[in-house]
Amino acid sequence: MNNGKILEVCINEGDLKQLANNISTASNLGARRFELCSNLHLGGLTPSLSAIDCAVKSLTNSAELVVMVRPEAGDFIVSAECYELMEKQITMAANAGAHGVVFGAVKRGELDLDVTRSLVATAKHYGLMVTFHRAFDTLTNPLSALDKLISLRVDRILTAGTPWQSGQSAVDGLNQINTYLAHSANQIEIVMGGGVTLDNAATLWQLINNYSAKAAVHVHSCVHNENGAINAEAIKKLLSKD
């Protein structure tokens, strides 16, 4: 039971048997969405086709799968070569049955409007939802970018409300997230992620309740055991009534 909460769980592809178990366990417990990545130690890269296929087949309870589209680690500048790969990876995710894709494109601290517009168009051609990932937290003028992303029909942004790689959590960025929620006025879903724990998640859920907001909480480490398996009790705690 999710009590109306939208919990998004970030999953590393890893071993396919464990991937299947993780997704079926968490979705049975009420997790609404999964972000599938590879190489999370590099900030998350595009997963393999076999992992996407496995994840799609493991979903239960009408849960959704969104797929990271990031061919290379490092900054979020999208070269012509990288762009071509991202186009192909969006197509791959769609053909494998994913519900959405996750990507970002930034140039000199600003939203790369041309690349973002084109990638969104490709995703929408296949009926995919689009999340602009934490490249958003590298932008020098996030409110202006937020307006542009809304106009481009991006469905969600993933943000901690704190600078990328600052080591700060989404709770540290609460005031900035509060600004995003007010500014976006439910025109785009704000997915709050980064350093979310079982102890601080309640603060984020409360913020969502205060706004009756189109928003979600994104977690990873706090719902996985040391061996990479989903911790069912952690999922239950995150989705319990406050």
Side-chain angles (χ1 to χ4, degrees), residues 171 174 199-208:
V171 172
L174 209 61
D199 294 324
N200 68 25
T203 303
L204 301 175
W205 293 129
Q206 188 58 52
L207 182 63
I208 293 171

Side-chain angles (χ1 to χ4, degrees), residues 209-223:
N209 288 338
N210 290 348
Y211 270 95
S212 298
K214 186 177 180 180
V217 172
H218 173 102
V219 296
H220 172 63
S221 56
C222 73
V223 298

Side-chain angles (χ1 to χ4, degrees), residues 20 23-24 27-28 31-34 52-66 97-99:
I23 288 183
S24 61
S27 53
N28 279 330
R32 293 266 293 276
R33 190 186 306 136
F34 297 88
I52 300 170
D53 185 61
C54 173
V56 168
K57 291 176 179 175
S58 303
L59 294 167
T60 66
N61 248 358
S62 301
E64 297 180 343
L65 182 78
V66 297
H99 299 90

Side-chain angles (χ1 to χ4, degrees), residues 10 13 37 41 44 56 58 65 111 114 119 126 152 187 219:
C10 182
E13 68 170 69
C37 306
H41 65 289
V56 168
S58 303
L65 182 78
L111 178 68
D114 291 339
L119 292 175
Y126 291 108
L152 291 176
Q187 296 175 85
V219 296

Side-chain angles (χ1 to χ4, degrees), residues 221-239:
S221 56
C222 73
V223 298
H224 287 83
N225 295 324
E226 287 183 4
N227 64 358
I230 281 288
N231 180 337
E233 291 307 312
I235 298 286
K236 289 177 185 176
K237 182 172 180 179
L238 285 166
L239 293 174

Side-chain angles (χ1 to χ4, degrees), residues 21-79:
N21 288 337
N22 280 347
I23 288 183
S24 61
T25 297
S27 53
N28 279 330
L29 290 170
R32 293 266 293 276
R33 190 186 306 136
F34 297 88
E35 181 195 68
L36 181 64
C37 306
S38 68
N39 296 285
L40 275 177
H41 65 289
L42 298 175
L45 300 179
T46 309
S48 65
L49 176 58
S50 58
I52 300 170
D53 185 61
C54 173
V56 168
K57 291 176 179 175
S58 303
L59 294 167
T60 66
N61 248 358
S62 301
E64 297 180 343
L65 182 78
V66 297
V67 173
M68 176 63 77
V69 174
R70 187 177 177 225
E72 55 192 33
D75 57 32
F76 302 110
I77 297 170
V78 176
S79 65

Side-chain angles (χ1 to χ4, degrees), residues 27-177:
S27 53
N28 279 330
L29 290 170
R32 293 266 293 276
R33 190 186 306 136
F34 297 88
E35 181 195 68
L36 181 64
C37 306
S38 68
N39 296 285
L40 275 177
H41 65 289
L42 298 175
L45 300 179
T46 309
S48 65
L49 176 58
S50 58
I52 300 170
D53 185 61
C54 173
V56 168
K57 291 176 179 175
S58 303
L59 294 167
T60 66
N61 248 358
S62 301
E64 297 180 343
L65 182 78
V66 297
V67 173
M68 176 63 77
V69 174
R70 187 177 177 225
E72 55 192 33
D75 57 32
F76 302 110
I77 297 170
V78 176
S79 65
E81 182 181 10
C82 183
Y83 168 79
E84 293 296 331
L85 279 172
M86 292 173 80
E87 287 271 299
K88 291 175 183 176
Q89 290 173 353
I90 290 170
T91 302
M92 174 184 74
N95 290 338
H99 299 90
V101 285
V102 182
F103 56 76
V106 172
K107 185 166 57 176
R108 294 185 294 278
E110 302 295 330
L111 178 68
D112 189 331
L113 201 56
D114 291 339
V115 166
T116 303
R117 180 186 290 112
S118 185
L119 292 175
V120 170
T122 300
K124 295 298 180 180
H125 171 77
Y126 291 108
L128 296 173
M129 303 286 276
V130 174
T131 303
F132 193 94
H133 60 44
R134 285 199 60 199
F136 186 82
D137 290 336
T138 71
L139 298 170
T140 54
N141 191 340
L143 292 183
S144 173
L146 191 55
D147 290 334
K148 291 171 184 173
L149 292 170
I150 290 169
S151 71
L152 291 176
R153 297 190 302 136
V154 170
D155 300 281
R156 309 176 181 113
I157 61 162
L158 173 61
T159 179
T162 58
W164 173 245
Q165 294 185 327
S166 66
Q168 295 176 296
S169 74
V171 172
D172 295 316
L174 209 61
N175 287 340
Q176 189 67 14
I177 291 172

